């Protein structure tokens, strides 16, 4: 992990322009209780903003830093001040997950595993079928076969956007949206090639229509 990342415990907040756009890419499926979750909540500005834009929701976060957790508790309904690996969570609980995991996963924070992959795999089961994943990830990590296979197998209606303008130039990140399938569906080699080729330039793939939204499941 880079020194800056160590100092922040791997924390990099969602960039402001990207945060403004994320709610515009979501559509509500109808009335009812919604539970939104961020397993790397930081100060919870991002999840709180999404909840405020999309209407009433119970909001949940996990944050390792004592200082950031204290701020997050002022913005979310429930916050656990602990490491994600120590939290006990029930499967199929949340209708939306905002996942912006730490950039670097080396021995200090990820036992040698990429944290983008670890958090993705461990978070998928927490979503209800039809629930929405919002996944911020370094663009280069979309070349990871395991990440692409997991996304294709567990999520429908996948869309991939690069961060807007200068935010992409600074962070080199993309935002992936998807709706969780009820069960895993093994992707074909053709689907893998189509997605990875399309995502190489951060273009939206798999069922994309300009202006389409991902439905926020319940």
């Amino acid at each position: 992990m880079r020194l800056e990342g160590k100092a922040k415990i791997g924390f990099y907040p969602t960039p402001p322009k990207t945060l403004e756009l994320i709610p515009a890419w979501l559509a509500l499926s109808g009335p009812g209780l919604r539970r939104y979750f961020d397993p790397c909540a930081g100060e919870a500005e991002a999840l709180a903003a999404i909840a405020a834009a999309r209407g009433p929701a119970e909001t949940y976060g996990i944050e390792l830093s004592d200082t950031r957790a204290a701020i997050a508790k002022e913005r979310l309904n429930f916050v656990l001040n602990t490491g994600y690996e120590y939290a006990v969570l029930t499967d199929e609980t949340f209708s939306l997950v905002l996942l912006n995991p730490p950039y670097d996963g080396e021995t200090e924070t990820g036992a040698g595993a990429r944290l983008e992959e670890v958090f993705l795999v461990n978070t998928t089961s927490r979503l209800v079928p039809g629930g929405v994943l919002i996944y911020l990830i370094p663009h280069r990590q979309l070349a990871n076969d395991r990440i692409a296979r997991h996304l294709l197998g567990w999520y429908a209606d996948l869309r991939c956007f690069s961060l807007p303008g200068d935010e992409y130039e600074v962070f080199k990140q993309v935002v992936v949206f998807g709706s969780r399938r009820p069960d895993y569906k093994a992707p074909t080699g053709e689907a893998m090639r189509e997605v990875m080729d399309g995502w190489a330039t951060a273009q939206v793939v798999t069922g994309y229509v300009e202006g389409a939204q991902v439905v926020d499941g319940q």
Side-chain angles (χ1 to χ4, degrees):
M1 176 178 285
R2 295 184 296 273
L3 291 177
E4 182 184 8
K6 285 182 181 178
K8 297 179 179 181
I9 320 180
F11 172 65
Y12 294 83
T14 303
K17 291 180 183 177
T18 300
L19 184 54
E20 288 179 11
L21 289 173
I22 284 175
W25 291 326
L26 297 170
L28 298 178
S29 60
L33 177 65
R34 292 180 172 81
R35 293 189 178 98
Y36 293 174
F37 175 52
D38 186 344
C40 315
E43 297 177 354
E45 180 181 10
L47 190 65
I50 292 170
R54 304 315 302 166
E58 288 184 353
T59 50
Y60 298 76
I62 296 175
E63 174 53 40
L64 181 59
S65 162
D66 295 347
T67 302
R68 290 195 294 269
I71 297 172
K73 287 177 181 179
E74 298 177 358
R75 292 171 168 164
L76 304 183
N77 298 119
F78 305 97
V79 175
L80 290 177
N81 181 197
T82 187
Y84 183 54
E85 65 272 25
Y86 301 119
V88 178
L89 302 171
T90 303
D91 285 347
E92 299 188 0
T93 297
F94 303 106
S95 56
L96 179 147
V97 167
L98 173 64
L99 184 56
N100 184 10
Y103 270 43
D104 299 310
E106 297 178 359
T107 55
E108 295 91 341
T109 57
R114 289 297 309 184
L115 292 187
E116 295 91 351
E117 180 184 347
V118 170
F119 273 90
L120 174 64
V121 171
N122 290 341
T123 302
T124 290
S125 65
R126 315 306 184 192
L127 273 168
V128 298
V132 170
L133 172 72
I134 306 171
Y135 185 35
L136 284 84
I137 182 174
H139 195 172
R140 67 183 183 277
Q141 283 302 308
L142 290 179
N144 183 318
D145 178 84
R146 294 185 299 275
I147 288 177
R149 191 173 300 279
H150 184 93
L151 288 170
L152 271 171
W154 276 110
Y155 294 92
D157 301 322
L158 284 166
R159 294 168 171 83
C160 177
F161 298 86
S162 61
L163 267 59
D166 56 350
E167 289 183 350
Y168 181 83
E169 294 305 313
V170 172
F171 297 103
K172 299 295 190 292
Q173 279 191 307
V174 295
V175 186
V176 177
F177 293 83
S179 177
R180 211 208 97 169
R181 302 181 191 273
D183 300 293
Y184 183 81
K185 181 180 179 181
T188 64
E190 181 180 357
M192 287 284 291
R193 288 190 295 274
E194 178 183 352
V195 166
M196 294 182 79
D197 288 348
W199 283 351
T201 52
Q203 298 299 309
V204 180
V205 292
T206 310
Y208 170 66
V209 176
E210 186 70 37
Q213 297 174 307
V214 180
V215 175
D216 170 12
Q218 294 173 234

